[in-house]
Amino acid sequence: MAQRFLSSAFMLTVSLSCTYLCYTIIFGRTTVNSGRMYEGSRCPPNPNAAGKKLLAQSEQCARLRWVRAAAAGAPPGAFGPLPPSPPSRWVKNSSLAQRYGNKKLPGVLIVGVKKGGTRAVLEFIRIHPDVRALGTEPHFFDRNYDRGLDWYRGLMPRTLDSQITLEKTPSYFVTREAPRRISSMSHQTKLIVVVRNPVTRAISDYTQTLSKKPDIPTFEDLAFKNRSMGVVDTSWNAIRIGMYILHLENWLRYFHLSQMHFVSGERLITDPAGEMGRVQDFLGLKRIISDKHFYFNRTKGFPCLKKPESSGQPRCLGKSKGRTHVQIEQEVIEQLQEFYRPFNIKFFETVGRDFKWD
C-alpha cells in the first residue's frame, strides 16, 4: 500500500513539473519579448537616436543594453564593465546640470543696488533647484565688456534646459552703458533690483569703505558740500546711488517695467520668505523657498539659511555682512531724508510700490 502511495505521489510531482515548464516556455517568452519591446521603445539601439531627450535616461539605457547583450551570450568584457545605476529621483538638479548641462548666457540679472541686500537674494534664490547662479560678480557689462559674450558665457555654471542661469553685479544699476549692453545681449532678460532706504544704504556704504580705508573723511564731510545750508554733495557715489529714480529712468529706455522686479531690502530681513516668494513668482518658478528655509541670526541681525540635510552647518552671509554701522548724528540723517524724499516719491510712483522709507 505504501509503495503504491509513493508511486502516485512521484507521478503527480512529475506531472506538475511538466505543466509548470510548459507554462513558463509559452507565457514567459511573451513576457520577455514584451519587455524587450518596451525597452526598445525607451532605449533605441542607437544611443544618439533621441538626442538630448535621452540624457536623463542614458545610464539606465546603457545598463539595459549591457544586460541584454550578456543574456544573448556576448563574451565577458565585450561591452566594458556594467554601467552605474542612474541617479535617484532625489538627486539635486545641480548635480545633473554639472554632468549634462550647457553653459548659457544668463536670463536673469541682479543688477543692484550696492549695499541693498543683493548677496542675500543671490544666496537665497540659488537654493531653488531650478536656478543656477554664478557665485562671483563678473562685472561684464561695466568693466569687462570688451572681453566679449563668449568669455562671459564661459563664466556661467552649467544648466539644464529647464533651469535659469543667473548672475549678480550690483554696480550695473548705476552704470549708464549697462542697460543698452544687456538689451543688446537679449531683450528678454529679467532684472532684479534690491533697494533699501537710501540714507541707511549710504551709511552702510560708508561703513564698508571705512573698514578698508580708515583715514577717509567723516561721513558728514563727504555727504555735504555745505552742511549748514543743507547742500548735499551728489557727486559722492554713496549719495548718488540712492537717487534710484535717476538710474531707473535710464533702464526704462531699454526695458519694460514688467521685466524688472524690485525687492525691499528691509523686508528681506523681516520677511525673507515673503520677499523670496515674490521673486520666485517674477521668475515663473514654483514657490519652493519658504519660511522653513530661514532662521533669524540675532548676532548678525538678519536671516540665515537653515542647514541643508547634506551639511552640518547653517549658511549665513560672510563677516562683512551685518557689520555695525558708524554712528551718525540724527540731524544729518533728517537732512538726508529730506533730500531724498522727492526722489523716493517719484520712484514709488514709477514702480507702483511704496517702500515706506519716511
Side-chain angles (χ1 to χ4, degrees), residues 135-147:
T136 57
E137 297 176 4
H139 286 277
F140 176 67
F141 294 104
D142 57 351
R143 303 178 190 171
N144 296 304
Y145 194 64
D146 60 341
R147 291 176 178 263

Side-chain angles (χ1 to χ4, degrees), residues 212-224:
K212 301 175 181 178
K213 301 177 181 179
D215 297 330
I216 62 174
T218 65
F219 178 86
E220 293 83 350
D221 289 341
L222 292 170
F224 293 92

Side-chain angles (χ1 to χ4, degrees), residues 82-274:
L82 178 65
S85 299
S88 301
R89 290 184 301 174
W90 50 265
V91 173
K92 294 181 179 179
N93 280 359
S94 59
S95 299
L96 295 175
Q98 291 173 2
R99 179 176 295 183
Y100 302 121
N102 298 309
K103 293 193 173 188
K104 298 178 290 187
L105 291 170
V108 180
L109 299 178
I110 301 176
V111 297
V113 299
K114 179 184 179 184
K115 307 309 296 179
T118 57
R119 172 56 61 177
V121 172
L122 178 73
E123 293 302 324
F124 294 166
I125 195 61
R126 72 193 305 186
I127 68 175
H128 197 292
D130 292 331
V131 174
R132 295 275 289 157
L134 181 64
T136 57
E137 297 176 4
H139 286 277
F140 176 67
F141 294 104
D142 57 351
R143 303 178 190 171
N144 296 304
Y145 194 64
D146 60 341
R147 291 176 178 263
L149 287 174
D150 288 340
W151 176 85
Y152 184 47
R153 183 188 291 108
L155 300 177
M156 298 300 132
R158 294 184 179 276
T159 54
L160 302 173
D161 289 342
S162 61
Q163 291 178 311
I164 291 173
T165 304
L166 180 150
E167 73 108 323
K168 167 191 94 77
T169 305
S171 55
Y172 291 162
F173 190 65
V174 297
T175 300
R176 188 157 190 81
E177 299 83 5
R180 175 180 55 80
R181 291 171 174 177
I182 294 172
S183 177
S184 178
M185 176 185 72
S186 172
H187 294 293
Q188 305 303 317
T189 305
K190 290 188 174 183
L191 309 167
I192 296 175
V193 187
V194 190
V195 291
R196 183 183 185 186
N197 185 320
V199 179
T200 309
R201 196 222 66 82
I203 296 172
S204 178
D205 199 339
Y206 175 78
T207 301
Q208 182 183 55
T209 304
L210 185 65
S211 68
K212 301 175 181 178
K213 301 177 181 179
D215 297 330
I216 62 174
T218 65
F219 178 86
E220 293 83 350
D221 289 341
L222 292 170
F224 293 92
K225 289 182 177 179
N226 188 322
R227 165 108 183 260
S228 61
M229 298 292 292
V231 181
V232 176
D233 188 352
T234 57
S235 66
W236 185 32
N237 202 43
I239 292 293
R240 188 164 184 81
I241 289 175
M243 301 162 69
Y244 302 136
I245 186 61
L246 299 185
H247 309 297
L248 178 59
E249 287 172 345
N250 184 38
W251 285 88
L252 292 178
R253 295 171 57 199
Y254 299 93
F255 292 94
H256 193 275
L257 190 62
S258 63
Q259 292 176 258
M260 307 184 74
H261 178 72
F262 299 88
V263 177
S264 167
E266 287 80 14
R267 290 191 61 82
L268 195 61
I269 295 174
T270 61
D271 182 22

